[in-house]
Amino acid sequence: MVNRRHIRVKVMQSIYAMHQNGSDNLEKEEKFLFHSIDNIQDLYLTMISSLMEIGKREAVFLHKSSLKHLATPEERKPNEKFIKNSIFQILAENNSLSIAMETRKVDAWTLNDDYILLLLNAIKASKFYIDYMSESTTSFEEDRNLIVDLFLEVIVPNEKLYEFLEDDKLTWIDDIPLVNTHIVKQLKAMKPIMDDNFTVPKVYKDSEDKVFVKDLFRKTILNEAELAKEFVDKTPNWDSDRIAEVDTIILKMAICEFLKFPSIPVKVTLNEYLELAKEYSTTKK
């Protein structure tokens, strides 16, 4: 799931946190770095399970409404099109998802179901839902398109949900776009079959990426003085104390790749750190 660019972001954040904490415990900070990357899968499972919980919550609501003493004809025989959406069924019966949820012990919504209700209310007020429910017939494509639209336009932009995720794990802030993009890609690719239709992604593409995390973190930290000298010597008219710490970390990491990762093309390193600087570097004064 994580790509090299996101790995660089996580390493940068860990080095910054290490500086801010005044820590010199390399092993402890490295362990936290890997832990924060592993937690990306928990965020993924939390977001994808929100869809499942929304469907379950509406099913419970419709059932309870039908049992009311003074239930209306609509409540006694509700429109179940939404809760019978094919995507909900596929997710609910997916072994990969249920095993991952159990293994990672992800159960965010049991004690926080008020957020599910909040999302469900927003969904039922949306034009996507209203238009979908107004049609008497449906197809798998319509089911899939609805869930993609609801996820992209209703769930992802919800500020209360974002605040909940931010409060749950601070390290998730920069992971949210990565995870949501991956989920949308998966949802759009789903087909009307059950077997092997949906699999929980691995955190790392391959073992080399995990090694890259460790090497970039350690080689940058252990050679900071040497790496800093590379750009301090080339900026004689600029006081190094005036360069923001995030900027210096980005510079050190980039120079580290130039000098100590010969297998990575220079052009790739340049492009990656230019993008990193655009997003995280201080604005020009």
Side-chain angles (χ1 to χ4, degrees):
M1 190 189 320
V2 294
N3 52 40
R4 287 290 179 100
R5 180 169 299 173
H6 201 69
I7 285 172
R8 291 177 175 96
V9 169
K10 302 300 282 187
V11 170
M12 178 197 71
Q13 291 172 335
S14 292
I15 294 174
Y16 180 79
M18 191 172 181
H19 287 184
Q20 292 297 301
N21 297 334
S23 173
D24 60 357
N25 190 328
L26 187 62
E27 290 187 1
K28 178 184 176 183
E29 300 301 330
E30 182 181 89
K31 183 177 180 181
F32 178 78
L33 167 60
F34 278 109
H35 181 67
S36 71
I37 295 175
D38 287 340
N39 277 338
I40 294 174
Q41 190 169 73
D42 294 351
L43 173 60
Y44 168 87
L45 294 170
T46 297
M47 290 302 294
I48 200 72
S49 65
S50 70
L51 289 172
M52 300 160 65
E53 292 301 319
I54 286 166
K56 290 178 186 177
R57 182 65 180 256
E58 179 65 358
V60 170
F61 172 76
L62 293 181
H63 177 67
K64 287 183 177 180
S65 296
S66 70
L67 299 178
K68 289 195 303 186
H69 179 63
L70 298 176
T72 64
E74 291 78 13
E75 289 173 328
R76 288 195 183 95
K77 195 173 181 181
N79 183 348
E80 297 183 335
K81 184 177 180 180
F82 180 65
I83 64 174
K84 290 183 177 179
N85 185 287
S86 304
I87 304 302
F88 289 150
Q89 184 180 1
I90 290 172
L91 293 177
E93 297 179 7
N94 185 266
N95 287 331
S96 172
L97 193 52
S98 59
I99 291 171
M101 295 278 290
E102 178 67 26
T103 302
R104 297 291 300 176
K105 294 180 170 50
V106 173
D107 189 23
W109 307 120
T110 299
L111 298 177
N112 299 285
D113 63 339
D114 50 325
Y115 289 97
I116 296 300
L117 180 59
L118 184 151
L119 292 173
L120 180 57
N121 288 337
I123 283 170
K124 293 169 77 170
S126 71
K127 187 176 185 301
F128 304 110
Y129 176 88
I130 294 169
D131 289 348
Y132 174 80
M133 296 298 283
S134 67
E135 296 291 334
S136 58
T137 59
T138 189
S139 66
F140 178 82
E141 288 72 23
E142 289 170 331
D143 282 355
R144 182 180 59 201
N145 291 342
L146 173 74
I147 299 303
V148 170
D149 287 338
L150 292 178
F151 189 79
L152 268 175
E153 304 297 335
V154 181
I155 296 174
V156 169
N158 189 280
E159 292 184 5
K160 293 293 183 182
L161 176 63
Y162 182 87
E163 290 171 5
F164 165 71
L165 296 172
E166 183 180 7
D167 290 341
D168 194 7
K169 286 188 177 67
L170 188 60
T171 59
W172 279 353
I173 294 175
D174 290 285
D175 303 330
I176 293 172
L178 174 81
V179 166
N180 288 339
T181 298
H182 191 91
I183 289 174
V184 169
K185 183 179 178 181
Q186 282 191 298
L187 290 173
K188 288 182 175 180
M190 289 179 76
K191 298 176 182 178
I193 54 174
M194 295 296 178
D195 296 336
D196 300 323
N197 191 21
F198 190 93
T199 56
V200 175
K202 296 178 181 178
V203 175
Y204 299 97
K205 182 181 69 175
D206 51 42
S207 59
E208 290 182 6
D209 277 357
K210 191 168 185 177
V211 172
F212 179 66
V213 174
K214 183 173 183 175
D215 286 349
L216 182 59
F217 180 71
R218 282 184 169 257
K219 289 180 179 181
T220 303
I221 290 292
L222 295 175
N223 296 281
E224 282 201 88
E226 172 194 338
L227 298 171
K229 196 172 185 302
E230 291 290 334
F231 63 83
V232 168
D233 288 350
K234 294 173 178 58
T235 54
N237 298 321
W238 190 260
D239 186 350
S240 60
D241 291 338
R242 293 176 60 193
I243 305 177
E245 188 162 9
V246 170
D247 296 347
T248 64
I249 292 170
I250 292 173
L251 283 168
K252 289 172 185 175
M253 288 174 61
I255 295 168
C256 182
E257 281 197 29
F258 288 140
L259 299 178
K260 302 183 183 299
F261 291 81
S263 64
I264 301 177
V266 171
K267 185 177 180 180
V268 171
T269 296
L270 277 173
N271 289 337
E272 289 294 325
Y273 284 97
L274 282 173
E275 291 302 314
L276 205 62
K278 288 178 185 177
E279 188 168 355
Y280 293 96
S281 184
T282 53
T283 56
K284 185 176 181 181
K285 300 289 185 177

